[in-house]
Structure formats: structure tokens, C-alpha cells
Amino acid sequence: MWRDHLTEIIIFTFLFLLVSAMGFVAARWRAPRDMAHLDEWGLGGRSFGGWITWFLVGGDLYTAYTFVAVPALIFGAGAAGFFAVPYTIVIYPMVFLVLCRLWSVSHRHGFVTPADFVRNRFDSPILALLIAITGIVATMPYIALQLVGIEAVLKTMGVTGDSALARHLPIIIAFAILAAYTYQSGLRAPALIAFVKDSLIYIVILVAVFYLPYKLGGWGSIFDAADAKFKATPAPGDGILLNANNQLQYVTLAFGSALALFLYPHSITGVLASRNRGVIKRNMSALPAYSLLLGLIALLGYMAIAAGVKPLPGAKAGSVDGNTVVPLLFDKQFPDWFAGVAYAAIGIGALVPAAIMSIAAANLFTRNIYKEYLKRDATPAQEANVSKIASLVVKVGAVACIVFLDPQFSIDLQLIGGVIILQTLPAVALGLYTRWFHRGALIAGWVAGMGLGMWMLYQVANPTTGKKHFAGSAFPLEKFGFDTPKTIYVGIVAVLVNLAVAALLTLVLRAAKVADGVDGTTPDDYFADEGDPRVTPGATRDADSAPEPVA
């Protein structure tokens, strides 16, 4: 009953309302020149310094879903769930220079989205449209999953009822508030709130990883309890160590997820809001600190096993909601006031990425669909208004995913989203370094990779839940004719096919001398920095005086 959690509810509500007020105040933060412009509303004036960018990008990548789902996966399957830790480490050296090039060319030309860059680089509105649609489709379930994190907290506090309306009403109210201050303040709202969100997360997790092992008998007892649980389960992949059957899936999933992370539109939005290349370099050096935090968060799954946590019932009869593991752990092991702070950290942790994701998806629609195909002469103010409305529509769609779909299906959709966004890698990431690929070949590669990826995902079943199709992203190699029980991440196979088709067809089209359009960029565009005299008017704003983080 909710009355048993009154203290937690009061603290959660107070902190939630506090950050909501900050979201509305953010419209006047850092003196925007004109909020009726995508540079201001959608990119915060392109003037965020080191600390703001660090909190913004970190808050964007490490979401509420991460804080509840990663420990839940480790609670249920063990070592396989740790894939989230290495992939958020290896990605930063990989994108250290890539993102600098993207920032520079976007800074000089005033690009707002990755599809803007593709349109200019390859002189192909069709390819840009595919990149935009891909980004929007991959982002939608990601936003919905932020609601899963909030819902897990609300369920633990007992404020959700049995009927569909009673169960989802708190989430609908929370996202209505989010929609209101995002509409008014744009990217400044999540940037300001990220300070509070990340501070709460760091405090809660650091307290937990020192206090809980002491209370549960030490790390030895925690790992022994986890090992005993997994040995008692019939699932061959479960355990505190990887085995021969799940190593390939682990490696390919970690590497594929790393490649996908900064292809997501919301990740790029945070980068483009930076004021110069130096900010990006310092952040790519400093952001692994979040990965250290993520490793500690993941261990909460083993702590929950040692604490004897039993997940709450799921939406379907006989099922359990694994996402309630972490909230229940804090409810069981900490005083009510601290549990309330932890719940607020998770809830607020959903608002920051959800806001950035909706803004990124809205910018894609505005720049690469509305302006390209519906109103070519749209003014900056019209673009900003359309983007604001589109962000509201995206949030409504995310709420609809939770209300009308099984939350487990939403999780599967997010895994599918990773496979989808990977198909933009040749045009976006490789396009920053080479113009060798033919625009027609890139389109064909996208079609081949997307088609194969969807076919493979359709073949993935889950006997535990009874789903026969689209039940995850681990593809059984036996379906390719191999005599092995091993699985592989669908995204890796699909993007390799994408690249192979794009490369082979490029050779064919170049041999046939098929026209390839005009590259709208120049080599020095990829090294432009703050103060560049050739920057497109309106592409940059006044720099801030915030101190920079030390790598």
C-alpha cells in the first residue's frame, strides 16, 4: 500500500517537482538570443562548455532504464549482463576524433542533425531521409523505456493501481510536465536538470556500494549467494562467469552496442551543443567515469540476490517484473528517506534522456522531412515551432508504447532499435572520413542491412516468455546452418552485410560511371573550430565561462 511508503513518496515528489521547476526556469538560463531558432531551442545555442556537456552527455547516455535494467539483467542471468560495462568504455577512444570531425563540419555549415550532414556530404535527399527515419524509429522505443524505469519506482512505492488508467496515470502526469518544460526551454532544460540527476545518482550509488556489502556480509558472501542461485537454475547461460555458449554473443553485443551508441540522434545532439572541439576531446576522456559508476550499479544485481529480493509481479499472470529489483533492494535495505532519494534519482534519471531524445527526434523530422519535403522556405521560427510540436508528438507516442504494449515488448523494441541505428554507420561515421562510397551504394547497403536485420530479428524466439518472433537480438547460429548452440548479435551481422553491399556496389557504379552528386563539404571543414570566420550565420552562440573538466 502507498501509505507504507509515505516518506518515500513525499521525498520523491518534492525532488521531482524541484527539477520540473528548474526545467521551466531553464528557458532564461544562459541568456538565449532567440528561442524561436533550432540553434537555441534544439542545441542550447551551441555554446555548452566542458562541465555542462559532461553532465548533459552523461545524463543522455546513462539513463533510468540503465540503472534499473542492467542490475535486473545481472540479477536474472549473471555475467552476461555486464556487456553494458565494456561497451561504454571502448566507445570513447573510437569516437574521440570522429565526433570532433562531426562537430566541426556541423559548426561550419550549421547542421543540426546527422541527416543534415549526410544530405550535404552525399548530395542525396533520399539517403538523408532514410537516415532521418532510421533515427526517429530507433529513438522512439528508447524514450518509452525511460517510462519503464519510472514505472518500476512507482510500482515499488505502491502508487500504481490495478486498472490500466490507475497504473499509467502517474507516468502520464510526469511526462505531461516533461513535455511542458521541454516545449518551453528546449535542450537547456535537460542540460540544467542533468546536474541534479547525476549528483543524486553518484551519491546514491556510492553509498550503496559501501554500505550494502557491509550489511550483507561482504563481497564474498554476495558472490557466493549469486553463484548458488545460478547453479540452481537450468538455464545454460546463467552464471557469475561467461561460458563457451555465450561468449560470442557477449563480445558481439558489446562491440555492436558500442558502435551504435553515438549513432543515436540524442547522443549527437549533446555533442553538437558543445562550444568547441576541445570540449568534446576533454569529455571523451572524462566520460569513462560514468562507466566506473555503471560497473558499480551493475553489482546491485548480485546484492539483490544476496538480500533475498523477490521482484514484484509483472503485467501478465504468473510473470515477474525484473525492473523492480533495484527499487526493492533500496526499499528493503535502506531507511525510507534514503530510499526516497534513490527513487527520485531514478525518476529524474528518466527525464533528462527522454527530453534529449524527443528533441533529437523532433529535429530530425523538422530539418529532414518537414523542411526538405513539405516547406523548403521554412523560416528559423517556423522550424523551431514545428520541432516543438514534433517533440510533443514523440512523447505521446512513447507513452502510448507503455500504455498499449507489454513493457517486455518495449524492451525488445529497444534491442531492435540498436540493430536499426547501426545501419546508419556507413553514411554517418565512415562518411566523416571518406566520400568513396557511392550514394546509390549506401542506399542499397542500408536496404540490405535493414532487410537482413529484420529477418534475423523475426527468427529470434524466447521460450520463457512464449514469444516466437522479435524476442531479442541474440540470433541462433544454427539457423545459418552451424552445428552449435551459440548465438550472435544481429546488429553486427547486419551492418557487415550493409558495408559489403555498399563497397561492392560502389565499385560497380564507379566502373559504370554513374553520377554521384557533388560533395558539399571541403577537407578543412572537418577541422573548423570556435571562432571560425567561415561559420554559417546563426550556427554558433556566445561561449560560456563554465570551467572545463580535467581528464
Side-chain angles (χ1 to χ4, degrees):
M1 289 293 292
W2 66 268
R3 292 183 180 85
D4 298 329
H5 302 275
L6 189 58
T7 301
E8 299 163 359
I9 294 172
I10 292 173
I11 294 175
F12 175 89
T13 303
F14 171 77
L15 291 174
F16 191 91
L17 292 177
L18 174 64
V19 300
S20 297
M22 291 175 63
F24 287 106
V25 171
R28 299 182 179 277
W29 178 48
R30 300 171 58 79
R33 291 184 182 177
D34 182 9
M35 287 297 285
H37 196 294
L38 276 188
D39 273 2
E40 292 291 355
W41 185 84
L43 291 179
R46 299 181 189 255
S47 63
F48 289 159
W51 282 110
I52 298 173
T53 301
W54 190 72
F55 280 107
L56 179 66
V57 176
D60 187 11
L61 301 180
Y62 301 90
T63 69
Y65 175 67
T66 302
F67 300 140
V68 298
V70 171
L73 182 58
I74 290 170
F75 177 89
F82 278 98
F83 84 92
V85 178
Y87 99 69
T88 59
I89 297 174
V90 301
I91 184 57
Y92 296 113
M94 292 169 58
V95 301
F96 186 88
L97 296 177
V98 175
L99 292 179
C100 288
R101 292 175 70 89
L102 177 61
W103 183 91
S104 290
V105 70
S106 300
H107 176 77
R108 177 164 285 183
H109 290 272
F111 299 150
V112 176
T113 70
D116 282 348
F117 161 71
V118 170
R119 173 69 171 87
N120 196 274
R121 176 69 150 162
F122 295 99
D123 193 18
S124 175
I126 295 177
L127 181 59
L129 177 64
L130 292 177
I131 298 299
I133 293 174
T134 302
I136 294 171
V137 171
T139 302
M140 284 292 293
Y142 219 146
I143 302 173
L145 287 182
Q146 305 315 307
L147 297 174
V148 172
I150 297 178
E151 191 169 57
V153 167
L154 296 176
K155 184 184 293 186
T156 303
M157 292 190 296
V159 297
T160 58
D162 296 328
S163 67
L165 178 61
R167 187 166 66 252
H168 298 298
L169 184 59
I171 291 180
I172 294 173
I173 295 173
F175 253 55
I177 297 173
L178 170 67
Y181 65 66
T182 303
Y183 184 92
Q184 175 178 316
S185 305
L187 193 65
R188 283 175 168 78
L192 186 58
I193 294 172
F195 285 96
V196 178
K197 171 252 185 185
D198 290 350
S199 298
L200 286 176
I201 288 290
Y202 268 99
I203 292 172
V204 168
I205 298 306
L206 290 176
V207 170
V209 296
F210 283 104
Y211 175 72
L212 287 177
Y214 165 77
K215 188 172 183 181
L216 297 174
W219 286 108
S221 298
I222 291 172
F223 279 95
D224 287 343
D227 190 39
K229 176 198 171 183
F230 294 128
K231 285 181 177 178
T233 62
D238 293 351
I240 60 173
L241 297 176
L242 296 174
N243 56 50
N245 290 332
N246 57 20
Q247 289 173 359
L248 179 63
Q249 171 66 20
Y250 182 93
V251 171
T252 54
L253 179 57
F255 185 64
S257 298
L259 292 177
L261 186 61
F262 276 95
L263 290 172
Y264 277 105
H266 55 275
S267 302
I268 293 176
T269 295
V271 170
L272 295 187
S274 304
R275 76 182 183 195
N276 58 40
R277 289 165 61 96
V279 168
I280 298 172
K281 291 178 180 179
R282 284 186 288 273
N283 270 276
M284 291 306 104
S285 301
L287 279 168
Y290 278 96
S291 299
L292 171 63
L293 182 67
L294 180 59
L296 300 176
I297 292 171
L299 291 172
L300 294 176
Y302 287 160
M303 297 181 198
I305 295 174
V309 170
K310 303 295 182 184
L312 294 175
K316 290 185 178 180
S319 67
V320 296
D321 185 355
N323 293 314
T324 60
V325 166
V326 169
L328 286 171
L329 175 65
F330 281 100
D331 182 59
K332 185 174 182 178
Q333 299 295 324
F334 286 96
D336 290 349
W337 68 268
F338 189 82
V341 173
Y343 295 163
I346 295 173
I348 297 169
L351 300 181
V352 172
I356 304 172
M357 290 170 190
S358 65
I359 290 170
N363 289 345
L364 281 168
F365 172 80
T366 301
R367 290 296 293 260
N368 308 114
I369 298 177
Y370 172 76
K371 186 171 184 178
E372 182 74 42
Y373 293 97
L374 301 178
K375 191 173 178 59
R376 287 181 174 272
D377 60 347
T379 65
Q382 289 173 329
E383 285 183 12
N385 287 332
V386 169
S387 201
K388 289 179 180 181
I389 295 171
S391 73
L392 297 179
V393 174
V394 168
K395 293 183 183 71
V396 172
V399 173
C401 286
I402 294 297
V403 173
F404 298 108
L405 297 178
D406 179 359
Q408 180 58 47
F409 185 58
S410 298
I411 295 171
D412 294 336
L413 280 178
Q414 195 275 329
L415 295 174
I416 295 171
V419 176
I420 291 173
I421 202 64
L422 261 178
Q423 306 318 307
T424 66
L425 185 145
V428 177
L430 298 186
L432 288 166
Y433 279 92
T434 178
R435 183 59 167 72
W436 180 78
F437 288 103
H438 193 285
R439 59 184 180 179
L442 287 171
I443 293 172
W446 181 92
V447 172
M450 197 68 71
L452 177 63
M454 290 301 102
W455 176 82
M456 293 175 68
L457 290 167
Y458 182 79
Q459 304 297 318
V460 177
N462 188 335
T464 303
T465 61
K467 290 187 63 176
K468 297 181 179 180
H469 306 291
F470 296 108
S473 59
F475 184 81
L477 287 177
E478 61 184 15
K479 291 186 180 292
F480 277 151
F482 294 96
D483 185 19
T484 176
K486 295 181 180 179
T487 59
I488 190 170
Y489 177 52
V490 172
I492 285 290
V493 179
V495 77
L496 288 176
V497 169
N498 183 338
L499 286 167
V501 170
L504 291 174
L505 193 56
T506 292
L507 295 174
V508 172
L509 293 175
R510 298 224 181 278
K513 300 187 183 302
V514 176
D516 193 21
V518 178
D519 184 358
T521 68
T522 60
D524 65 323
D525 285 345
Y526 299 90
F527 300 95
D529 206 345
E530 183 183 20
D532 189 325
R534 288 181 52 192
V535 170
T536 300
T540 58
R541 293 292 181 265
D542 295 334
D544 67 355
S545 58
E548 309 290 351
V550 179

